[in-house]
Amino acid sequence: MNELILSRLIKALTWRRIVNLIKTGLSFLLSSLTGKNIIWGRPTILTIEPTNICNLRCPLCTTGSGEMERANGKMSLETFENIINKMGDDLFFLLLYHQGEPYINQHFLDFIKLAKSKNIYCTTSTNAHYFSDKLIHQTIDSGLDSMIVSLDGVTQQSYETYRVKGNLDKVINNMKRFMEIRHERKSKTPLIALQFLVMKHNEGEIPAMKKLAREIGVDRLLIKNIEVRSLEEAKQWLPINDKYRRYRFDGQNFEVKNSNKKSCPRPWLSTLINWDGTIVPCCFDKNGKYDMGNINDAADINELWLGQKFTAFRNRLNTNRKSIDICRNCNQGFGSFIPEFGKKSKEEENKSSFQIINQ
């Protein structure tokens, strides 16, 4: 949540959305405490995948590594309109990204405009390779509230170690130009947050990345840990400094920290819709293994949200979370909405115009 503009997020909360948020939150709390599947309300937060196609080949990404089992494609404008018509009145927060580069979809900015016509807070994540002056202006005009920009190295060699086929200079120049145009237009949006994934090869570059973020002029810098799925990946990619790991790792075994949480709020408060309209529980289901149905085939979201598949998934999550493969690599859960912010020195607070967040 650290890349968001809280005031704009609050403005998206109509009375209907507030009531819905209270319903979904209470139903999750009661479900996690009683072990029963209690569902009130409809999704308050939604992730939509504009496309699962990407121009880069990041080795820990399902798309970039070539491990995507779903068909490749781009969401149609008709599917997005269908989603907004069926769910928009209850949503207050929309994440427009998943397993691909959003700007590859030619309708991406139209998606934002449609969501903003419903006063829904919109954020996205991009590798920033496609920006031109025209596209920057169009992005600002769309009403996009915030944006994460991936930048995981301060040299081309370091950057392309993970962002395979990426061009560091292009990203830096594009973002400098984005901030220049935003300043010229006296616009505060979209808020721009650089995201630095800490890995073994780049963990020593954090001070240089802080300096680079200041030079580019972005609003925030997010320092984030990486997800791995095998011992081999852990050995190759996990940083040496345990502070930047989401795992306990002794060189032979790895386990997610805080993995003993009982349940997870996501299937009670939110869901994810892939580019073709299929619904899955959350972003950890990258290959659509837990398909809950297709929004295009449902008369109403409740048909799927309250359906047998979602009910069975929530029951299993409540009673035997570790039996769900996509949940074993996740530390979200009861109590996870309480943020932990690292302390800053007085010197850093005075120098920094952005936030350094360890996640």
Side-chain angles (χ1 to χ4, degrees), residues 16 58 79 154 347:
R16 172 170 174 162
C58 306
T79 293
V154 295
E347 181 182 2

Side-chain angles (χ1 to χ4, degrees), residues 269-285:
L269 278 70
S270 66
T271 191
L272 186 150
I273 302 181
N274 288 320
W275 70 265
D276 60 354
T278 56
I279 295 182
V280 295
C282 73
C283 61
F284 274 81
D285 190 3

Side-chain angles (χ1 to χ4, degrees), residues 142-306:
S142 72
L144 181 68
D145 294 288
S146 57
M147 175 191 297
I148 297 170
V149 176
S150 301
L151 189 60
D152 312 310
V154 295
T155 67
Q156 177 62 28
Q157 180 180 359
S158 175
Y159 176 74
E160 68 180 349
T161 297
Y162 185 70
R163 301 288 168 183
V164 179
K165 295 189 175 182
N167 186 314
L168 177 65
D169 287 341
K170 177 179 285 190
V171 176
I172 292 173
N173 291 332
N174 283 348
M175 294 320 301
K176 283 183 177 179
R177 186 60 182 145
F178 201 118
M179 301 311 296
E180 287 172 358
I181 292 175
R182 203 188 74 175
H183 178 72
E184 290 167 1
R185 294 187 49 165
K186 299 180 180 179
S187 176
K188 295 182 179 180
T189 57
L191 179 146
I192 305 295
L194 284 188
Q195 178 174 275
F196 182 83
L197 295 180
V198 186
M199 294 167 274
K200 183 183 291 186
H201 70 277
N202 69 4
E203 62 184 307
E205 297 180 357
I206 292 175
M209 178 54 64
K210 293 178 183 180
K211 180 181 178 183
L212 179 59
R214 293 189 185 95
E215 291 174 355
I216 295 173
V218 295
D219 302 290
R220 296 177 187 171
L221 172 62
L222 310 179
I223 298 176
K224 189 175 180 182
N225 52 43
I226 60 167
E227 174 192 345
V228 296
R229 296 157 294 179
S230 68
L231 181 60
E232 290 72 24
E233 289 181 347
K235 290 179 178 179
Q236 181 177 357
W237 297 101
L238 286 184
I240 302 300
N241 191 335
D242 184 68
K243 175 182 178 181
Y244 300 115
R245 296 178 187 166
R246 74 164 70 181
Y247 305 92
R248 287 184 290 272
F249 178 56
D250 61 7
Q252 296 300 320
N253 300 283
F254 73 101
E255 181 184 14
V256 178
K257 297 175 181 177
N258 301 317
S259 61
N260 58 346
K261 292 178 179 177
K262 177 183 176 183
S263 192
C264 176
R266 292 187 180 187
W268 277 264
L269 278 70
S270 66
T271 191
L272 186 150
I273 302 181
N274 288 320
W275 70 265
D276 60 354
T278 56
I279 295 182
V280 295
C282 73
C283 61
F284 274 81
D285 190 3
K286 305 179 193 306
N287 269 312
K289 180 177 179 179
Y290 297 91
D291 184 346
M292 302 297 169
N294 195 299
I295 190 68
N296 293 316
D297 300 329
D300 184 85
I301 183 57
N302 280 348
E303 185 178 320
L304 305 175
W305 187 242
L306 304 177

Side-chain angles (χ1 to χ4, degrees), residues 259 284 313 317 321-322 324-331:
S259 61
F284 274 81
F313 184 87
L317 182 61
R321 175 175 176 166
K322 289 187 177 181
I324 305 175
D325 55 352
I326 63 171
C327 297
R328 289 196 290 269
N329 203 19
C330 176
N331 59 8

